[in-house]
């Protein structure tokens, strides 16, 4: 279809949408130890892709929607920027939002919106021109030499309230324009952080720093002492473990204490914005963090964002947020992802490095960590061929969604992940009466893997190019279908089995490859002989994603 016809169809869909009855607002619901995103009454697993920062305007994005759909995405994670929706103070223009809604609906996809408001990657580059150009009215943070930064200071109610007014207008607009909830969640701000110093030194910030730690924070820390992030507890204890005093008295005057101070104030600001937005439309909301490079100290990395060691501070200050989320561009995916499941935080990864491993990281996140969703960055730049790794892995997630949704939070799944080609370490998990031992095997990709020649931003392109495209990824997930039956989804996995019952040996009763259609298993072929090493193991061959269903038995 020509772009103009697509736009016409999209507009028609938008106007029809307005006539639909309001659907249940997406929300989180507990199941066992997990919390699931519920959309249209069903658990919804986000097979997402985040757009590059400047790719969300409808006319630019329109040609990419068919590709995003073909990659088996069910959700596009898209920025909405303050400068575009409020170009003049108090005058809102939601054309970009309406275009996204219409095009997403026309392709049967959902949206997670990212509010690029006061902060985007520590800076305030998405604030409208009328905010940027008036620092007397909209005060900026200052460094310790008193120089202004292009960063709105969180210590000024005028900044917070002006941002809040725009965010509320956005949610009010969605309430009217999106009764069917094409938008399933909203991220509030983007990668908040202080850099290159750990805290704001503007006069109001100095005054706040010299004042007492609010009782609300002290009470929260005292009440939750047993489960506090160990790093936070260590900073507090190192300063003497006081239960009252100035910020420097309670948390020390070093960068770690300064970071806690900033985290509290950023989170309070975000709480104000999110709570006001939720009062209009109570969509699930979250904040995301840029993670820490090894060995960096507060001030050297974007500090005070919703990082694992600050999770308690953010929780205490911003209860309107449903969860905190990591943007994972580093190789040690599993440890960062795991850190975001601390004290019941549901895992959603709004940004991940778009590299071959993303395809197995997704399976690991859903299978091992009960994730709500996974979403590689700059997805519209993907050069994945039809049979790309992410496309294939998202196809498996699509097929398995009813099963994953049923099993999340119930201790009946596990993930397998080889984080680097060099790691030869097999992985062992116990599920019920069986021990599963997986080893990994990679294949050379048929062509240059996705994620190299694409624009993903200067910060992360070096990581993508870090020698990771030489092989296909290896990893996957396993679901216990019954006491002695398992379903494997993945690539490059060889799994052996052992019984937990002494004296018993494990045998493979049957192994089949197949697929799920509408939640029903469709048999493709029995695997035996060379494919199971004559009954010794199962093998999901390197270079190809597959589903295998295995029945085990015991013998002496
Ligand atoms: C993380 C940010 O959140 C994104 O908006 C983008 O700037 C990427 N980094 C670039 O790699």
């Amino acid at each position: 279809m020509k772009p103009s016809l697509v736009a016409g169809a999209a507009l028609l869909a938008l106007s029809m949408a307005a006539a639909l009855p309001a659907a249940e607002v997406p929300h989180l619901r507990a199941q066992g130890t997990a919390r699931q995103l519920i959309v249209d009454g069903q658990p919804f697993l986000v097979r997402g892709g985040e757009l590059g920062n400047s790719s969300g305007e409808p006319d630019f994005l329109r040609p990419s929607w068919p590709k995003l759909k073909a990659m088996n995405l069910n959700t596009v994670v898209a920025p909405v920027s303050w400068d575009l929706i409020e170009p003049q103070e108090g005058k809102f223009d939601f054309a970009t939002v309406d275009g996204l809604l219409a095009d997403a609906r026309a392709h049967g996809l959902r949206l997670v919106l990212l509010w690029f408001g006061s902060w985007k990657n520590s800076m305030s580059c998405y604030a409208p021109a009328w905010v940027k150009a008036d620092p007397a009215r909209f005060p900026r943070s200052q460094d310790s030499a008193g120089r202004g930064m292009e960063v709105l200071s969180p210590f000024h109610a005028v900044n917070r309230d002006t941002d809040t007014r725009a965010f509320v207008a956005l949610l009010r607009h969605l309430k009217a324009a999106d009764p069917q909830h094409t938008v399933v969640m909203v991220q509030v701000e983007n990668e908040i952080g202080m850099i290159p110093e750990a805290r704001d030194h503007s006069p109001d910030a100095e005054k706040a720093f010299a004042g007492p730690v609010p009782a609300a924070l002290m009470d929260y820390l005292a009440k939750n002492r047993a489960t506090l992030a160990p790093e936070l507890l260590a900073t507090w204890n190192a300063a003497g473990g006081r239960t009252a005093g100035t910020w420097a008295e309670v948390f020390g005057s070093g960068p770690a204490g300064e970071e806690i101070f900033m985290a509290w104030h950023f989170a309070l600001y975000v709480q104000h914005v999110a709570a006001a937005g939720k009062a209009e439309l109570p969509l699930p909301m979250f904040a995301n963090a840029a993670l820490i490079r090894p060995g960096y100290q507060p001030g050297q990395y974007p500090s005070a964002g919703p990082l694992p060691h600050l999770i308690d501070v953010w929780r205490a200050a911003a209860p309107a947020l449903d969860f905190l989320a990591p943007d994972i561009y580093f190789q040690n995916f599993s440890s960062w992802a795991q850190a975001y499941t601390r004290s019941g935080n549901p895992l959603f990864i709004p940004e991940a490095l778009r590299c071959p491993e993303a395809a197995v990281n997704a399976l690991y996140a859903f299978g091992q960590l009960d994730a709500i969703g996974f979403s590689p960055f700059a997805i519209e730049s993907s050069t994945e061929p039809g049979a790309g790794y992410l496309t294939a892995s998202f196809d498996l997630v699509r097929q398995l969604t009813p099963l994953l949704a049923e099993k999340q939070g119930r201790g009946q799944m596990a993930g397998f992940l080889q984080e680097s080609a060099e790691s030869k370490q097999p992985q062992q998990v116990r599920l019920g009466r069986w021990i599963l031992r997986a080893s990994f095997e990679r294949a050379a990709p048929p062509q240059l893997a996705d994620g190299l020649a694409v624009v993903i931003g200067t910060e992360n392109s070096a990581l993508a190019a870090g020698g990771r495209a030489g092989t296909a990824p290896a990893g996957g997930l396993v679901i216990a279908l019954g006491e002695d039956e398992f379903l494997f989804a993945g690539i490059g996995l060889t799994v052996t089995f052992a019984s937990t019952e002494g004296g018993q040996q494990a045998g493979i009763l049957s192994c089949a490859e197949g697929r799920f259609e509408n939640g029903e298993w469709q048999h493709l072929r029995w695997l035996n002989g060379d494919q199971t090493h004559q009954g010794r193991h199962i093998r999901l061959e390197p270079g190809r994603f597959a589903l295998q269903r295995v029945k085990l038995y015991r013998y002496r």
Side-chain angles (χ1 to χ4, degrees):
M1 223 190 290
K2 286 185 183 157
S4 58
L5 291 182
V6 176
L11 279 175
L12 181 66
L14 185 65
S15 54
M16 281 167 65
L20 292 174
E24 181 189 41
V25 181
H27 56 278
L28 298 190
R29 188 171 75 194
Q31 173 172 290
T33 54
R35 274 201 294 153
Q36 299 180 308
L37 172 63
I38 305 298
V39 177
D40 294 338
Q42 300 291 328
F44 184 82
L45 301 183
V46 176
R47 305 189 307 272
E50 180 165 325
L51 300 177
N53 297 163
S54 307
S55 302
E57 285 178 75
D59 290 347
F60 178 83
L61 186 62
R62 194 155 293 123
S64 300
W65 285 97
K67 176 175 74 178
L68 301 179
K69 181 81 180 168
M71 289 176 75
N72 290 316
L73 266 60
N74 63 0
T75 306
V76 169
V77 179
V80 171
S81 62
W82 185 7
D83 57 352
L84 288 184
I85 68 158
E86 196 181 3
Q88 275 179 277
E89 185 167 4
K91 296 218 174 345
F92 292 96
D93 176 352
F94 292 108
T96 50
V97 177
D98 291 342
L100 280 173
L101 287 174
D103 289 343
R105 285 175 195 148
H107 292 88
L109 291 166
R110 303 277 178 160
L111 294 168
V112 170
L113 296 183
L114 312 173
W115 174 235
F116 284 11
S118 292
W119 299 290
K120 195 276 172 190
N121 296 36
S122 308
M123 305 294 286
S124 298
C125 48
Y126 284 94
W130 51 269
V131 172
K132 280 185 186 159
D134 195 352
R137 183 170 161 215
F138 301 108
R140 309 283 188 81
S141 292
Q142 290 177 15
D143 65 15
S144 48
R147 274 187 304 254
M149 303 157 79
E150 203 177 78
V151 176
L152 289 168
S153 170
F155 295 91
H156 293 271
V158 63
N159 294 343
R160 184 197 67 192
D161 294 346
T162 313
D163 179 326
T164 301
R165 186 181 62 193
F167 188 67
V168 165
L170 170 64
L171 271 292
R172 189 173 296 152
H173 181 75
L174 289 180
K175 191 175 170 180
D178 188 28
Q180 67 270 61
H181 303 300
T182 303
V183 177
V184 295
M185 297 200 286
V186 179
Q187 179 186 291
V188 189
E189 314 293 343
N190 189 79
E191 289 195 353
I192 285 175
M194 279 309 282
I195 195 165
E197 294 181 18
R199 76 175 173 90
D200 184 354
H201 290 271
S202 64
D204 285 70
E206 291 294 330
K207 204 163 126 205
F209 191 64
V213 177
L217 177 57
M218 293 300 359
D219 291 350
Y220 185 97
L221 297 186
K223 208 179 287 163
N224 296 283
R225 196 181 186 100
T227 58
L228 292 182
E231 305 87 344
L232 176 73
L233 196 56
T235 304
W236 188 17
N237 284 338
R242 298 174 58 146
T243 52
T246 65
W247 288 90
E249 284 166 352
V250 175
F251 298 113
S253 51
E258 293 185 309
E259 188 185 31
I260 294 169
F261 163 75
M262 285 308 296
W264 173 257
H265 288 283
F266 277 133
L268 275 187
Y269 190 111
V270 169
Q271 164 67 15
H272 194 272
V273 177
K278 278 194 162 179
E280 286 297 328
L281 181 59
L283 286 169
M285 294 190 188
F286 63 96
N288 66 330
L291 303 180
I292 306 169
R293 278 164 209 272
Y296 280 38
Q297 299 306 310
Q300 296 173 323
Y301 59 82
S303 309
L307 286 156
H309 64 287
L310 300 169
I311 205 164
D312 305 293
V313 181
W314 273 81
R315 281 237 173 108
L321 295 179
D322 294 272
F323 56 88
L324 307 171
D327 294 345
I328 309 183
Y329 288 89
F330 298 138
Q331 277 206 19
N332 47 343
F333 176 85
S334 65
S335 43
W336 280 115
Q338 237 155 52
Y340 277 83
T341 61
R342 275 181 181 177
S343 45
N345 188 61
L347 178 65
F348 173 67
I349 301 158
E351 285 181 54
L353 185 66
R354 192 160 50 72
C355 60
E357 282 81 0
V360 285
N361 291 344
L363 294 180
Y364 183 84
F366 288 117
Q368 176 72 30
L369 301 171
D370 295 330
I372 285 176
F374 179 87
S375 163
F377 183 68
I379 198 71
E380 77 290 357
S381 306
S382 175
T383 53
E384 270 218 351
Y389 301 131
L390 187 67
T391 304
S393 145
F394 272 0
D395 182 40
L396 295 189
V397 176
R398 184 186 60 74
Q399 293 178 48
L400 295 180
T401 289
L403 203 50
L404 291 166
E406 179 197 325
K407 300 286 182 177
Q408 283 191 327
R410 296 191 160 136
Q412 294 170 16
M413 302 197 291
F416 300 110
L417 192 58
Q418 188 192 36
E419 305 212 52
S420 76
E422 299 72 49
S423 154
K424 298 288 174 238
Q425 189 65 30
Q427 226 175 290
Q428 193 163 293
V429 299
R430 183 184 169 153
L431 282 176
R433 300 188 298 174
W434 297 100
I435 292 167
L436 286 53
R437 190 167 186 270
S439 55
F440 303 96
E441 195 181 353
R442 294 189 176 214
Q447 54 189 300
L448 246 200
D450 183 39
L452 281 186
V454 295
V455 183
I456 61 163
T458 44
E459 291 162 49
N460 295 310
S461 54
L463 284 170
R468 305 179 69 188
T471 55
L477 62 85
V478 58
I479 304 172
L481 296 177
E483 270 202 345
D484 301 327
E485 188 175 11
F486 296 99
L487 182 77
F488 289 86
I491 184 170
L493 281 180
T494 299
V495 186
T496 56
F497 303 91
S499 167
T500 55
E501 283 156 33
Q504 302 261 28
Q505 300 200 61
I508 294 174
L509 204 56
S510 65
C511 178
E513 181 174 349
R515 37 185 300 112
F516 276 92
E517 269 159 38
N518 303 321
E520 296 291 321
W521 175 253
Q522 308 289 320
H523 175 91
L524 199 57
R525 59 172 177 157
W526 293 109
L527 296 168
N528 208 335
D530 293 341
Q531 279 60 49
T532 62
H533 195 13
Q534 338 308 326
R536 294 182 184 89
H537 64 215
I538 63 135
R539 182 167 177 265
L540 282 78
E541 65 192 68
R544 182 172 76 88
F545 280 90
L547 286 181
Q548 288 186 20
R549 188 169 181 159
V550 186
K551 285 191 181 144
L552 303 177
Y553 73 105
R554 287 176 196 73
Y555 62 94
R556 289 193 179 273

